[in-house]
Amino acid sequence: IDPRSQKETEDEESSKSTTTPNEKSDMDNLLAQMNVVHCEMEESDEAIPFVEMVQVERERSSKPPLASSWSTSSPSVSNIVSPSSKDTRKKQHSTKNKELLAITKKLQHQTKTVGINHPTTLDTLSSLAKCYQQKEKENKNKKPSSSVSTPKSIQCYKELLHLQHLVFGPKSSQVISTLDTLGDLYFFERDVPNSILYYTQTLDIVQRRAHEEEEEHHHQQRCSEIWNKMGKVYLQENKFDMAMEHFQHALQLQQQQQQSSSAQNPKTLEKDICATLVNIGAVYYKERNSLNHSKHTYHDFTQSGMLLQIANAHEVRGEYIMSMKFYEEMLQLLDNNSRNKRKGKNKKKSEEELVYVLNCLGSLSRKTGRYVEALDFHNRALKTLLSLPSSKDDDVTSIAIAETRVYIGTVKCQMGYFQEALQLYEKALPIQTSLSRKKNVTTPNVANTLLQMGIVYLQLCQYDQALKFFHDAQQQQQQSLPQQKTPQNNPHLDTLESALQIGRVHLERGSYPRALKEFTNVLDSQTQILDRHHPIIATTLHFIGQTHVKNNEFGLAMKNYEECFEIRRKVLGYENPDVASALHSIGEAHLQNKRYERALRILQDSLRIRSEALDDEHSLDVAQTIISIGVAHENLGKTKEAMEYFQEALALVENKVGCHHPMMAHVDYSIGNLLLRQCSFEEAQEKFEKCQHIYRLVGLEENHPDVVNIHNSMERVKREEELCV
């Protein structure tokens, strides 16, 4: 923004117009002195000087598409796609004022016509209070308020509460809702006494109604919500004992509901329990790090297994980093216990618990892109299991060994060591299958191993084999979950993962409508189980975005990519391979939309993250980004740099998967296009024929988009060679 005042700018413009009269017409001079309006303004906005509007437009056009701090900070998706606009914020502010004015006029009219005590009038008063509440929240987020007066939203809700008492009665659901909201508002204002006062009044009425009415389930759920809210108030004030007492009371109520046969929505209840466990963990974590912490305070708490419950709750919610902190705390506790030289059954039980925690930490490290750490945790777990006394009838240890090998294989696959991963799976599967038959039950472990084998074959582009394993895994999952006769109506995350992988096979084969339908169904089911900001949902959004790109629907693709990027950035941190994957996809979309400069910057940042997190000599992901950077250079006319990138990617791919993998065809296709641009027709034709041979080997159909592209490129070689001759 130009630091000079508007007056100085106007004087300079005026001086320019007087000193160079030949370059500026009289009409320009006249416009420079006028105040104007434009289409982005609201009706209530005043006109602005023409010079100021021109200056704003110049600044807009000269603003770079990406911030210069790309690689040093964690940009939001708005910095990638659409920078925030002051005009938009002004428009939203003006819209909120208009809404307030309209509701106020409506309230005045209803008060005169039907009376202040009429239910419709109370609904309008409630809408007015909500509107004030939203406006005050937005204002406080921008700038903390220094005012000591009572906020208008609280004034409105108090008036509404008084009228609801008169109209609906003191124990009505309307009164309960308003009391609860007042507690929330005072909590937002950091007014602890009033917040606790209104929450206590809400709790008192709900408990009385629970004793009087039959809907005990609904009232218990509401009571647990209020106990949680009161716990958060005390936690904010560092009153740890009071906070813990309230959270544990909420957990007790929720667990009673879970055990009750009258529980109506188990999935919602599971979410609520996870939220309460997370709150309990927050008390523990905050007090542990406070100055007045006593190390003996939580001895019974840690020994009871609460740390594992809290860690699992964070993992279920997709909060992987916090989950790891609690698992690490548990690991430290187990290591301390092992130094006490436990013997016999106690030692074996402690070792099994240690293996469980190590594998959980390994899985979370893999999910957060820390592959070396993940291997360390899983290998330590395997070493611990192999050191236990062997017994022919010890099925538990055998299953744990097989499962740990599968975990190691999953990390190896993620790192690009596909054959090593496959060997580990093939070693584990017979053990898991035989034990499953021995007990005459279908275990989730068998299904997971089949699923992971399918993913390896998908990476190797053996699509028929991959599809077979995915269907087998899905069948095993449905058998181990007999209550799920219709997975679409009663979804489970395991069956949804298999469905997602089946969608990926359709995507790779070019069956985009089938893939999109599969992904959309999976997303709909996932949102019934998980919160929208969960990393699992981000993965599904990523594949939906890829499908839209293949269909040349860039607007829809970017919408899904943006949401995926934001979820991963917030949950996993910016320096993460999954974030790099989202960036790569966004860069690819810009590349296909011919925004080469922007695509290049994003792809270079993706490459930086991937190179740091992955072994660049053994990663197809790194090679994929290098190819895309080469394509961006080619389209910017930098053919020498482009060929260098293509040759680097070629060496990586050949070293990793050999000469007959579709990724090799992808590199050869890019090199062929560059050679064609340089009129090296014979060499280009040779590259395209090699691509065609690879696609036939992996069984791609003639109507597959990649195969069609190769045919079109070969035809183009013939046409352009004839033109040159």
Side-chain angles (χ1 to χ4, degrees):
I1 298 173
D2 194 335
R4 299 172 300 172
S5 66
Q6 178 182 318
K7 182 73 170 59
E8 289 174 333
T9 307
E10 289 175 353
D11 290 345
E12 182 178 324
E13 291 293 331
S14 177
S15 67
K16 283 182 182 178
S17 64
T18 55
T19 53
T20 56
N22 295 330
E23 296 176 13
K24 206 168 193 182
S25 66
D26 293 337
M27 181 60 71
D28 291 334
N29 290 326
L30 182 62
L31 282 171
Q33 300 170 28
M34 291 176 63
N35 289 343
V36 296
V37 296
H38 55 84
C39 61
E40 293 182 5
M41 287 182 165
E42 293 292 318
E43 292 179 7
S44 57
D45 292 342
E46 295 181 357
I48 62 172
F50 179 76
V51 174
E52 184 179 321
M53 188 182 75
V54 171
Q55 180 68 17
V56 170
E57 290 302 319
R58 283 175 182 163
E59 289 168 3
R60 272 191 193 175
S61 61
S62 64
K63 190 171 183 179
L66 284 170
S68 59
S69 58
W70 248 98
S71 60
T72 57
S73 62
S74 304
S76 66
V77 76
S78 60
N79 291 334
I80 299 172
V81 187
S82 53
S84 60
S85 169
K86 269 188 178 178
D87 294 337
T88 306
R89 290 198 295 271
K90 279 185 178 180
K91 196 169 183 178
Q92 290 172 347
H93 182 72
S94 176
T95 303
K96 185 63 69 177
N97 287 337
K98 285 182 178 180
E99 187 181 353
L100 277 170
L101 183 61
I103 295 172
T104 304
K105 286 181 178 178
K106 182 180 178 182
L107 184 62
Q108 290 170 348
H109 175 73
Q110 289 175 335
T111 304
K112 291 177 182 177
T113 54
V114 296
I116 190 68
N117 292 338
H118 196 276
T120 56
T121 310
L122 297 185
D123 287 342
T124 306
L125 180 58
S126 177
S127 299
L128 182 65
K130 287 175 184 175
C131 197
Y132 274 123
Q133 182 182 354
Q134 185 63 32
K135 186 179 179 183
E136 287 160 6
K137 187 176 180 181
E138 290 171 0
N139 291 339
K140 197 151 190 171
N141 287 338
K142 292 176 190 173
K143 185 179 179 181
S145 175
S146 58
S147 174
V148 294
S149 60
T150 305
K152 288 185 178 180
S153 60
I154 291 180
Q155 294 176 28
C156 284
Y157 276 118
K158 282 186 173 180
E159 185 178 349
L160 178 64
L161 180 65
H162 172 69
L163 294 170
Q164 287 173 335
H165 264 281
L166 297 174
V167 176
F168 303 113
K171 291 192 288 185
S172 63
S173 57
Q174 292 89 343
V175 168
I176 291 172
S177 177
T178 305
L179 284 168
D180 192 24
T181 303
L182 281 165
D184 294 342
L185 287 169
Y186 277 116
F187 178 56
F188 183 69
E189 295 292 328
R190 301 185 72 88
D191 185 340
V192 173
N194 274 314
S195 180
I196 292 294
L197 173 66
Y198 282 102
Y199 284 145
T200 304
Q201 290 180 21
T202 310
L203 186 63
D204 182 53
I205 297 172
V206 173
Q207 286 175 332
R208 277 188 283 158
R209 285 187 61 171
H211 290 301
E212 296 169 6
E213 299 174 9
E214 294 181 358
E215 295 184 3
E216 186 179 356
H217 162 75
H218 172 73
H219 294 305
Q220 275 190 332
Q221 185 179 357
R222 194 67 186 265
C223 284
S224 62
E225 288 174 8
I226 301 164
W227 282 110
N228 266 316
K229 288 183 177 183
M230 293 171 77
K232 287 180 180 178
V233 176
Y234 287 120
L235 179 59
Q236 183 178 267
E237 296 299 305
N238 291 335
K239 296 180 179 178
F240 302 118
D241 291 342
M242 293 291 290
M244 183 64 81
E245 181 184 330
H246 283 75
F247 289 142
Q248 287 182 331
H249 205 123
L251 183 63
Q252 186 180 357
L253 280 175
Q254 289 165 342
Q255 288 173 339
Q256 286 174 4
Q257 282 181 268
Q258 195 176 41
Q259 293 166 6
S260 171
S261 57
S262 61
Q264 295 177 350
N265 195 337
K267 288 174 187 172
T268 303
L269 190 55
E270 285 172 14
K271 283 186 181 181
D272 293 342
I273 290 173
C274 283
T276 305
L277 286 166
V278 166
N279 290 335
I280 291 171
V283 179
Y284 171 80
Y285 199 75
K286 192 172 182 181
E287 186 171 7
R288 284 271 300 186
N289 290 287
S290 67
L291 295 174
N292 58 350
H293 165 64
S294 170
K295 65 180 181 179
H296 300 295
T297 305
Y298 285 101
H299 179 267
D300 293 339
F301 179 87
T302 54
Q303 294 296 331
S304 67
M306 280 299 293
L307 290 177
L308 287 180
Q309 292 184 53
I310 295 165
N312 181 63
H314 277 294
E315 184 176 0
V316 168
R317 286 158 58 98
E319 298 160 352
Y320 298 146
I321 304 299
M322 282 304 299
S323 179
M324 289 179 72
K325 289 180 180 179
F326 283 97
Y327 278 126
E328 284 166 356
E329 187 93 18
M330 189 66 194
L331 180 61
Q332 185 179 355
L333 183 69
L334 291 169
D335 284 340
N336 290 338
N337 290 342
S338 68
R339 295 191 188 100
N340 296 333
K341 298 181 180 180
R342 291 188 175 185
K343 296 181 180 180
K345 292 183 178 179
N346 286 337
K347 182 181 179 182
K348 185 176 181 182
K349 184 180 178 182
S350 179
E351 295 292 335
E352 288 172 355
E353 199 170 22
L354 176 65
V355 167
Y356 173 78
V357 172
L358 286 168
N359 278 331
C360 287
L361 280 166
S363 295
L364 287 165
S365 297
R366 173 181 56 81
K367 289 175 182 177
T368 53
R370 305 170 184 180
Y371 301 130
V372 176
E373 290 180 31
L375 282 177
D376 287 343
F377 283 123
H378 291 315
N379 282 325
R380 184 182 166 190
L382 185 62
K383 184 179 178 181
T384 303
L385 287 166
L386 293 173
S387 68
L388 292 174
S390 58
S391 172
K392 293 182 179 179
D393 299 325
D394 192 357
D395 294 341
V396 175
T397 304
S398 299
I399 290 173
I401 290 171
E403 189 175 351
T404 304
R405 284 184 174 137
V406 172
Y407 285 136
I408 295 170
T410 307
V411 182
K412 292 282 188 182
C413 178
Q414 203 90 13
M415 296 176 75
Y417 297 96
F418 303 125
Q419 294 300 333
E420 288 184 39
L422 202 55
Q423 289 171 9
L424 286 162
Y425 299 149
E426 289 171 347
K427 193 172 183 179
L429 185 61
I431 298 169
Q432 293 173 325
T433 306
S434 64
L435 290 172
S436 176
R437 288 173 182 166
K438 181 179 177 181
K439 294 185 177 182
N440 199 25
V441 292
T442 305
T443 64
N445 296 336
V446 175
N448 181 56
T449 306
L450 291 169
L451 179 73
Q452 298 304 328
M453 292 176 78
I455 290 172
V456 172
Y457 284 115
L458 177 59
Q459 293 288 345
L460 295 172
C461 297
Q462 299 180 27
Y463 301 126
D464 290 334
Q465 193 78 340
L467 202 57
K468 176 184 177 299
F469 276 102
F470 292 145
H471 283 304
D472 288 347
Q474 202 170 47
Q475 185 179 1
Q476 291 278 338
Q477 287 158 349
Q478 290 171 7
Q479 288 176 5
S480 65
L481 301 164
Q483 71 277 13
Q484 290 191 172
K485 293 181 181 178
T486 54
Q488 291 79 8
N489 298 329
N490 186 16
H492 188 278
L493 287 177
D494 290 341
T495 57
L496 293 177
E497 176 64 21
S498 297
L500 183 76
Q501 298 302 333
I502 290 168
R504 287 185 65 193
V505 175
H506 294 314
L507 177 62
E508 293 300 325
R509 279 182 158 172
S511 303
Y512 304 138
R514 290 181 69 182
L516 186 60
K517 183 180 178 181
E518 199 77 56
F519 294 145
T520 305
N521 289 339
V522 169
L523 182 64
D524 290 342
S525 298
Q526 285 174 338
T527 50
Q528 296 176 31
I529 306 170
L530 306 168
D531 291 329
R532 185 75 183 188
H533 59 267
H534 198 286
I536 290 175
I537 285 181
T539 300
T540 308
L541 290 168
H542 187 256
F543 289 127
I544 291 174
Q546 285 185 337
T547 312
H548 283 306
V549 166
K550 296 292 186 181
N551 284 326
N552 295 320
E553 298 166 341
F554 296 109
L556 292 171
M558 288 303 295
K559 182 181 176 182
N560 286 279
Y561 282 153
E562 288 169 21
E563 189 175 356
C564 169
F565 172 80
E566 279 296 345
I567 293 170
R568 288 177 172 176
R569 182 181 64 86
K570 288 177 182 177
V571 175
L572 305 173
Y574 190 66
E575 305 293 322
N576 182 276
D578 285 340
V579 173
S581 178
L583 286 173
H584 175 89
S585 296
I586 292 170
E588 280 279 344
H590 284 305
L591 197 61
Q592 293 189 38
N593 218 14
K594 300 182 180 179
R595 298 171 181 169
Y596 303 123
E597 290 283 1
R598 176 173 288 191
L600 184 60
R601 280 192 285 266
I602 296 172
L603 289 166
Q604 284 172 335
D605 210 41
S606 173
L607 178 63
R608 179 187 62 79
I609 297 170
R610 280 179 162 175
S611 297
E612 290 174 1
L614 305 169
D615 181 355
D616 58 357
E617 292 183 2
H618 300 90
S619 174
L620 291 180
D621 290 338
V622 173
Q624 190 180 29
T625 306
I626 290 172
I627 295 167
S628 298
I629 290 173
V631 173
H633 279 294
E634 179 188 350
N635 283 285
L636 289 169
K638 301 175 182 178
T639 54
K640 183 180 177 182
E641 290 90 339
M643 184 60 80
E644 288 174 357
Y645 277 107
F646 293 149
Q647 293 296 340
E648 183 182 353
L650 190 72
L652 286 175
V653 175
E654 189 172 6
N655 178 58
K656 184 60 206 160
V657 290
C659 299
H660 300 113
H661 190 278
M663 181 67 81
M664 181 62 78
H666 186 29
V667 185
D668 284 332
Y669 176 70
S670 300
I671 295 173
N673 277 330
L674 182 57
L675 292 169
L676 180 57
R677 185 183 287 245
Q678 296 172 337
C679 298
S680 301
F681 300 116
E682 289 185 11
E683 294 177 30
Q685 183 73 7
E686 184 182 334
K687 288 291 182 183
F688 293 142
E689 287 175 355
K690 187 177 177 183
C691 294
Q692 191 178 54
H693 176 67
I694 292 171
Y695 288 145
R696 282 174 181 166
L697 283 177
V698 298
L700 291 187
E701 297 177 2
E702 289 297 313
N703 61 351
H704 189 283
D706 290 342
V707 177
V708 172
N709 283 339
I710 292 299
H711 284 308
N712 292 338
S713 297
M714 292 171 76
E715 289 295 323
R716 187 179 157 206
V717 171
K718 292 178 183 177
R719 287 197 308 271
E720 295 196 12
E721 189 173 13
E722 288 172 0
L723 287 172
C724 282
V725 172

